Structure formats: C-alpha cells, structure tokens
mmCIF file of all heavy atoms in Angstrom:
data_model
loop_
_atom_site.group_PDB
_atom_site.id
_atom_site.type_symbol
_atom_site.label_atom_id
_atom_site.label_comp_id
_atom_site.label_asym_id
_atom_site.label_seq_id
_atom_site.Cartn_x
_atom_site.Cartn_y
_atom_site.Cartn_z
ATOM 1 N N ARG A 1 -40.936 -52.350 34.819
ATOM 2 C CA ARG A 1 -41.673 -52.496 36.070
ATOM 3 C C ARG A 1 -42.788 -53.521 35.918
ATOM 4 O O ARG A 1 -43.012 -54.363 36.786
ATOM 5 C CB ARG A 1 -42.238 -51.136 36.505
ATOM 6 C CG ARG A 1 -43.148 -51.146 37.713
ATOM 7 C CD ARG A 1 -42.634 -51.783 38.973
ATOM 8 N NE ARG A 1 -41.309 -51.350 39.359
ATOM 9 C CZ ARG A 1 -40.495 -52.043 40.164
ATOM 10 N NH1 ARG A 1 -40.896 -53.185 40.688
ATOM 11 N NH2 ARG A 1 -39.313 -51.605 40.457
ATOM 12 N N GLN A 2 -43.514 -53.484 34.794
ATOM 13 C CA GLN A 2 -44.580 -54.456 34.555
ATOM 14 C C GLN A 2 -44.022 -55.874 34.531
ATOM 15 O O GLN A 2 -44.611 -56.794 35.109
ATOM 16 C CB GLN A 2 -45.284 -54.154 33.231
ATOM 17 C CG GLN A 2 -46.363 -55.165 32.892
ATOM 18 C CD GLN A 2 -46.980 -54.957 31.519
ATOM 19 O OE1 GLN A 2 -46.704 -53.962 30.840
ATOM 20 N NE2 GLN A 2 -47.799 -55.892 31.105
ATOM 21 N N THR A 3 -42.894 -56.044 33.879
ATOM 22 C CA THR A 3 -42.262 -57.358 33.800
ATOM 23 C C THR A 3 -41.943 -57.882 35.198
ATOM 24 O O THR A 3 -42.241 -59.041 35.520
ATOM 25 C CB THR A 3 -40.986 -57.272 32.941
ATOM 26 O OG1 THR A 3 -41.333 -56.791 31.628
ATOM 27 C CG2 THR A 3 -40.298 -58.623 32.807
ATOM 28 N N LEU A 4 -41.371 -57.031 36.036
ATOM 29 C CA LEU A 4 -41.067 -57.427 37.413
ATOM 30 C C LEU A 4 -42.340 -57.668 38.221
ATOM 31 O O LEU A 4 -42.431 -58.659 38.948
ATOM 32 C CB LEU A 4 -40.230 -56.348 38.089
ATOM 33 C CG LEU A 4 -38.783 -56.230 37.627
ATOM 34 C CD1 LEU A 4 -38.155 -54.967 38.186
ATOM 35 C CD2 LEU A 4 -37.998 -57.458 38.025
ATOM 36 N N ASP A 5 -43.313 -56.777 38.078
ATOM 37 C CA ASP A 5 -44.557 -56.903 38.832
ATOM 38 C C ASP A 5 -45.307 -58.187 38.518
ATOM 39 O O ASP A 5 -46.050 -58.709 39.357
ATOM 40 C CB ASP A 5 -45.466 -55.702 38.581
ATOM 41 C CG ASP A 5 -44.964 -54.423 39.236
ATOM 42 O OD1 ASP A 5 -44.044 -54.498 40.083
ATOM 43 O OD2 ASP A 5 -45.490 -53.346 38.880
ATOM 44 N N GLU A 6 -45.119 -58.700 37.302
ATOM 45 C CA GLU A 6 -45.792 -59.941 36.916
ATOM 46 C C GLU A 6 -45.000 -61.179 37.329
ATOM 47 O O GLU A 6 -45.367 -62.293 36.977
ATOM 48 C CB GLU A 6 -46.082 -59.922 35.413
ATOM 49 C CG GLU A 6 -47.125 -58.882 35.064
ATOM 50 C CD GLU A 6 -47.589 -58.914 33.627
ATOM 51 O OE1 GLU A 6 -47.344 -59.928 32.917
ATOM 52 O OE2 GLU A 6 -48.223 -57.928 33.185
ATOM 53 N N GLY A 7 -43.914 -60.958 38.083
ATOM 54 C CA GLY A 7 -43.193 -62.081 38.665
ATOM 55 C C GLY A 7 -42.041 -62.631 37.861
ATOM 56 O O GLY A 7 -41.506 -63.700 38.195
ATOM 57 N N HIS A 8 -41.632 -61.934 36.833
ATOM 58 C CA HIS A 8 -40.532 -62.398 36.004
ATOM 59 C C HIS A 8 -39.200 -61.897 36.551
ATOM 60 O O HIS A 8 -39.139 -60.916 37.283
ATOM 61 C CB HIS A 8 -40.724 -61.924 34.563
ATOM 62 C CG HIS A 8 -42.034 -62.343 33.981
ATOM 63 N ND1 HIS A 8 -42.307 -63.642 33.616
ATOM 64 C CD2 HIS A 8 -43.166 -61.637 33.748
ATOM 65 C CE1 HIS A 8 -43.542 -63.718 33.159
ATOM 66 N NE2 HIS A 8 -44.098 -62.514 33.232
ATOM 67 N N GLU A 9 -38.141 -62.566 36.168
ATOM 68 C CA GLU A 9 -36.782 -62.163 36.542
ATOM 69 C C GLU A 9 -36.210 -61.283 35.427
ATOM 70 O O GLU A 9 -36.582 -61.410 34.265
ATOM 71 C CB GLU A 9 -35.885 -63.389 36.724
ATOM 72 C CG GLU A 9 -36.307 -64.294 37.855
ATOM 73 C CD GLU A 9 -36.078 -63.684 39.215
ATOM 74 O OE1 GLU A 9 -35.099 -62.909 39.374
ATOM 75 O OE2 GLU A 9 -36.856 -63.974 40.127
ATOM 76 N N ILE A 10 -35.296 -60.404 35.834
ATOM 77 C CA ILE A 10 -34.616 -59.526 34.890
ATOM 78 C C ILE A 10 -33.129 -59.821 34.952
ATOM 79 O O ILE A 10 -32.550 -59.879 36.041
ATOM 80 C CB ILE A 10 -34.850 -58.034 35.235
ATOM 81 C CG1 ILE A 10 -36.327 -57.695 35.216
ATOM 82 C CG2 ILE A 10 -34.030 -57.124 34.339
ATOM 83 C CD1 ILE A 10 -36.906 -57.388 33.879
ATOM 84 N N GLY A 11 -32.525 -59.983 33.790
ATOM 85 C CA GLY A 11 -31.087 -60.170 33.689
ATOM 86 C C GLY A 11 -30.476 -59.042 32.877
ATOM 87 O O GLY A 11 -31.160 -58.380 32.096
ATOM 88 N N VAL A 12 -29.186 -58.827 33.079
ATOM 89 C CA VAL A 12 -28.461 -57.748 32.411
ATOM 90 C C VAL A 12 -27.877 -58.265 31.094
ATOM 91 O O VAL A 12 -27.200 -59.289 31.058
ATOM 92 C CB VAL A 12 -27.318 -57.235 33.312
ATOM 93 C CG1 VAL A 12 -26.434 -56.256 32.585
ATOM 94 C CG2 VAL A 12 -27.898 -56.610 34.571
ATOM 95 N N HIS A 13 -28.145 -57.523 30.031
ATOM 96 C CA HIS A 13 -27.628 -57.884 28.698
ATOM 97 C C HIS A 13 -26.891 -56.685 28.102
ATOM 98 O O HIS A 13 -27.134 -56.304 26.970
ATOM 99 C CB HIS A 13 -28.785 -58.327 27.813
ATOM 100 C CG HIS A 13 -28.381 -58.873 26.485
ATOM 101 N ND1 HIS A 13 -27.223 -59.585 26.286
ATOM 102 C CD2 HIS A 13 -28.992 -58.835 25.285
ATOM 103 C CE1 HIS A 13 -27.148 -59.937 25.015
ATOM 104 N NE2 HIS A 13 -28.211 -59.493 24.387
ATOM 105 N N THR A 14 -26.043 -56.070 28.888
ATOM 106 C CA THR A 14 -25.252 -54.889 28.534
ATOM 107 C C THR A 14 -26.129 -53.657 28.352
ATOM 108 O O THR A 14 -27.356 -53.750 28.369
ATOM 109 C CB THR A 14 -24.360 -55.089 27.294
ATOM 110 O OG1 THR A 14 -25.136 -55.116 26.117
ATOM 111 C CG2 THR A 14 -23.495 -56.323 27.417
ATOM 112 N N PHE A 15 -25.490 -52.519 28.173
ATOM 113 C CA PHE A 15 -26.235 -51.275 27.988
ATOM 114 C C PHE A 15 -26.446 -50.964 26.516
ATOM 115 O O PHE A 15 -27.501 -50.495 26.112
ATOM 116 C CB PHE A 15 -25.523 -50.100 28.677
ATOM 117 C CG PHE A 15 -26.393 -48.887 28.792
ATOM 118 C CD1 PHE A 15 -27.366 -48.806 29.775
ATOM 119 C CD2 PHE A 15 -26.265 -47.842 27.899
ATOM 120 C CE1 PHE A 15 -28.207 -47.698 29.872
ATOM 121 C CE2 PHE A 15 -27.087 -46.724 27.993
ATOM 122 C CZ PHE A 15 -28.059 -46.652 28.973
ATOM 123 N N THR A 16 -25.426 -51.229 25.700
ATOM 124 C CA THR A 16 -25.501 -50.867 24.275
ATOM 125 C C THR A 16 -25.493 -52.083 23.365
ATOM 126 O O THR A 16 -25.359 -51.939 22.159
ATOM 127 C CB THR A 16 -24.317 -49.966 23.880
ATOM 128 O OG1 THR A 16 -23.100 -50.721 24.015
ATOM 129 C CG2 THR A 16 -24.270 -48.708 24.712
ATOM 130 N N HIS A 17 -25.616 -53.268 23.928
ATOM 131 C CA HIS A 17 -25.564 -54.528 23.194
ATOM 132 C C HIS A 17 -24.165 -54.794 22.654
ATOM 133 O O HIS A 17 -23.975 -55.391 21.597
ATOM 134 C CB HIS A 17 -26.610 -54.561 22.068
ATOM 135 C CG HIS A 17 -26.986 -55.958 21.680
ATOM 136 N ND1 HIS A 17 -26.271 -56.701 20.784
ATOM 137 C CD2 HIS A 17 -27.997 -56.753 22.091
ATOM 138 C CE1 HIS A 17 -26.825 -57.879 20.644
ATOM 139 N NE2 HIS A 17 -27.876 -57.943 21.430
ATOM 140 N N ALA A 18 -23.156 -54.357 23.400
ATOM 141 C CA ALA A 18 -21.762 -54.578 23.012
ATOM 142 C C ALA A 18 -21.421 -56.069 23.085
ATOM 143 O O ALA A 18 -21.949 -56.797 23.922
ATOM 144 C CB ALA A 18 -20.832 -53.799 23.931
ATOM 145 N N ASP A 19 -20.529 -56.507 22.222
ATOM 146 C CA ASP A 19 -20.011 -57.868 22.263
ATOM 147 C C ASP A 19 -18.909 -57.903 23.313
ATOM 148 O O ASP A 19 -17.788 -57.428 23.065
ATOM 149 C CB ASP A 19 -19.478 -58.258 20.898
ATOM 150 C CG ASP A 19 -18.937 -59.681 20.854
ATOM 151 O OD1 ASP A 19 -18.818 -60.329 21.916
ATOM 152 O OD2 ASP A 19 -18.621 -60.143 19.741
ATOM 153 N N LEU A 20 -19.199 -58.436 24.473
ATOM 154 C CA LEU A 20 -18.261 -58.390 25.586
ATOM 155 C C LEU A 20 -16.997 -59.195 25.331
ATOM 156 O O LEU A 20 -15.991 -58.999 26.010
ATOM 157 C CB LEU A 20 -18.943 -58.857 26.872
ATOM 158 C CG LEU A 20 -20.139 -58.019 27.330
ATOM 159 C CD1 LEU A 20 -20.674 -58.546 28.648
ATOM 160 C CD2 LEU A 20 -19.776 -56.544 27.429
ATOM 161 N N ALA A 21 -17.017 -60.072 24.359
ATOM 162 C CA ALA A 21 -15.821 -60.845 24.023
ATOM 163 C C ALA A 21 -14.789 -60.002 23.278
ATOM 164 O O ALA A 21 -13.634 -60.407 23.165
ATOM 165 C CB ALA A 21 -16.199 -62.058 23.177
ATOM 166 N N THR A 22 -15.203 -58.827 22.816
ATOM 167 C CA THR A 22 -14.302 -58.026 21.989
ATOM 168 C C THR A 22 -13.922 -56.687 22.608
ATOM 169 O O THR A 22 -13.247 -55.893 21.957
ATOM 170 C CB THR A 22 -14.931 -57.757 20.609
ATOM 171 O OG1 THR A 22 -16.113 -56.964 20.785
ATOM 172 C CG2 THR A 22 -15.273 -59.050 19.886
ATOM 173 N N VAL A 23 -14.319 -56.426 23.845
ATOM 174 C CA VAL A 23 -14.028 -55.137 24.468
ATOM 175 C C VAL A 23 -13.178 -55.346 25.723
ATOM 176 O O VAL A 23 -13.145 -56.437 26.286
ATOM 177 C CB VAL A 23 -15.322 -54.363 24.816
ATOM 178 C CG1 VAL A 23 -16.102 -54.033 23.551
ATOM 179 C CG2 VAL A 23 -16.193 -55.136 25.780
ATOM 180 N N ASP A 24 -12.504 -54.277 26.156
ATOM 181 C CA ASP A 24 -11.638 -54.402 27.335
ATOM 182 C C ASP A 24 -12.473 -54.408 28.620
ATOM 183 O O ASP A 24 -13.668 -54.133 28.603
ATOM 184 C CB ASP A 24 -10.571 -53.313 27.358
ATOM 185 C CG ASP A 24 -11.126 -51.905 27.531
ATOM 186 O OD1 ASP A 24 -12.130 -51.727 28.248
ATOM 187 O OD2 ASP A 24 -10.552 -50.975 26.948
ATOM 188 N N HIS A 25 -11.813 -54.734 29.721
ATOM 189 C CA HIS A 25 -12.522 -54.920 30.988
ATOM 190 C C HIS A 25 -13.200 -53.633 31.470
ATOM 191 O O HIS A 25 -14.234 -53.685 32.104
ATOM 192 C CB HIS A 25 -11.591 -55.477 32.060
ATOM 193 C CG HIS A 25 -10.583 -54.508 32.578
ATOM 194 N ND1 HIS A 25 -9.409 -54.236 31.914
ATOM 195 C CD2 HIS A 25 -10.590 -53.734 33.675
ATOM 196 C CE1 HIS A 25 -8.731 -53.334 32.582
ATOM 197 N NE2 HIS A 25 -9.417 -53.001 33.653
ATOM 198 N N ARG A 26 -12.638 -52.454 31.157
ATOM 199 C CA ARG A 26 -13.294 -51.206 31.570
ATOM 200 C C ARG A 26 -14.626 -51.031 30.862
ATOM 201 O O ARG A 26 -15.599 -50.589 31.467
ATOM 202 C CB ARG A 26 -12.377 -50.007 31.296
ATOM 203 C CG ARG A 26 -11.203 -49.945 32.262
ATOM 204 C CD ARG A 26 -10.253 -48.890 31.853
ATOM 205 N NE ARG A 26 -9.655 -49.383 30.599
ATOM 206 C CZ ARG A 26 -8.832 -48.704 29.834
ATOM 207 N NH1 ARG A 26 -8.503 -47.483 30.125
ATOM 208 N NH2 ARG A 26 -8.328 -49.236 28.742
ATOM 209 N N ARG A 27 -14.680 -51.374 29.602
ATOM 210 C CA ARG A 27 -15.939 -51.281 28.841
ATOM 211 C C ARG A 27 -16.948 -52.285 29.379
ATOM 212 O O ARG A 27 -18.140 -51.980 29.511
ATOM 213 C CB ARG A 27 -15.667 -51.506 27.355
ATOM 214 C CG ARG A 27 -16.898 -51.589 26.479
ATOM 215 C CD ARG A 27 -17.510 -50.236 26.163
ATOM 216 N NE ARG A 27 -18.721 -50.330 25.401
ATOM 217 C CZ ARG A 27 -18.799 -50.380 24.074
ATOM 218 N NH1 ARG A 27 -17.718 -50.336 23.336
ATOM 219 N NH2 ARG A 27 -19.963 -50.455 23.481
ATOM 220 N N ILE A 28 -16.486 -53.482 29.702
ATOM 221 C CA ILE A 28 -17.394 -54.493 30.273
ATOM 222 C C ILE A 28 -17.992 -53.978 31.577
ATOM 223 O O ILE A 28 -19.208 -54.035 31.780
ATOM 224 C CB ILE A 28 -16.657 -55.828 30.499
ATOM 225 C CG1 ILE A 28 -16.284 -56.455 29.155
ATOM 226 C CG2 ILE A 28 -17.515 -56.783 31.332
ATOM 227 C CD1 ILE A 28 -15.357 -57.647 29.272
ATOM 228 N N ASP A 29 -17.130 -53.464 32.452
ATOM 229 C CA ASP A 29 -17.616 -52.923 33.729
ATOM 230 C C ASP A 29 -18.631 -51.808 33.504
ATOM 231 O O ASP A 29 -19.661 -51.751 34.175
ATOM 232 C CB ASP A 29 -16.460 -52.397 34.580
ATOM 233 C CG ASP A 29 -15.582 -53.503 35.132
ATOM 234 O OD1 ASP A 29 -16.005 -54.677 35.119
ATOM 235 O OD2 ASP A 29 -14.451 -53.187 35.567
ATOM 236 N N ALA A 30 -18.333 -50.921 32.553
ATOM 237 C CA ALA A 30 -19.241 -49.801 32.267
ATOM 238 C C ALA A 30 -20.575 -50.311 31.733
ATOM 239 O O ALA A 30 -21.641 -49.859 32.168
ATOM 240 C CB ALA A 30 -18.600 -48.839 31.278
ATOM 241 N N GLU A 31 -20.542 -51.240 30.793
ATOM 242 C CA GLU A 31 -21.775 -51.780 30.203
ATOM 243 C C GLU A 31 -22.668 -52.380 31.278
ATOM 244 O O GLU A 31 -23.874 -52.129 31.306
ATOM 245 C CB GLU A 31 -21.438 -52.846 29.151
ATOM 246 C CG GLU A 31 -20.846 -52.318 27.877
ATOM 247 C CD GLU A 31 -21.854 -51.681 26.953
ATOM 248 O OE1 GLU A 31 -23.064 -51.965 27.057
ATOM 249 O OE2 GLU A 31 -21.420 -50.885 26.098
ATOM 250 N N LEU A 32 -22.086 -53.165 32.161
ATOM 251 C CA LEU A 32 -22.882 -53.834 33.198
ATOM 252 C C LEU A 32 -23.338 -52.845 34.259
ATOM 253 O O LEU A 32 -24.490 -52.906 34.714
ATOM 254 C CB LEU A 32 -22.085 -54.989 33.797
ATOM 255 C CG LEU A 32 -21.690 -56.082 32.802
ATOM 256 C CD1 LEU A 32 -20.846 -57.134 33.488
ATOM 257 C CD2 LEU A 32 -22.880 -56.698 32.117
#
C-alpha cells in the first residue's frame, strides 16, 4: 500500500517465484 500511495506502479512477478518457462499453462494462470 505504501508503494502504491507513493505513486509507484506494481507489476506481477508470480506468487511463488516459479520459472514460468518451465511450468504448464494451468500453473502459469494460477501463479498470476
């Protein structure tokens, strides 16, 4: 919240730091 309140943008970098190049599409969808 502080990061957003100070005007910064937030991007998604998975939930568990999974390597998306090595997992199936269901795992990618779940992570995001």
Side-chain angles (χ1 to χ4, degrees):
R1 174 54 49 202
Q2 177 186 353
T3 302
L4 288 169
D5 288 348
E6 292 187 16
H8 304 287
E9 296 290 327
I10 300 277
V12 172
H13 187 33
T14 72
F15 194 78
T16 65
H17 204 275
D19 181 352
L20 299 183
T22 64
V23 297
D24 66 35
H25 72 279
R26 288 172 291 174
R27 174 78 183 272
I28 292 170
D29 289 344
E31 288 283 338
L32 299 177

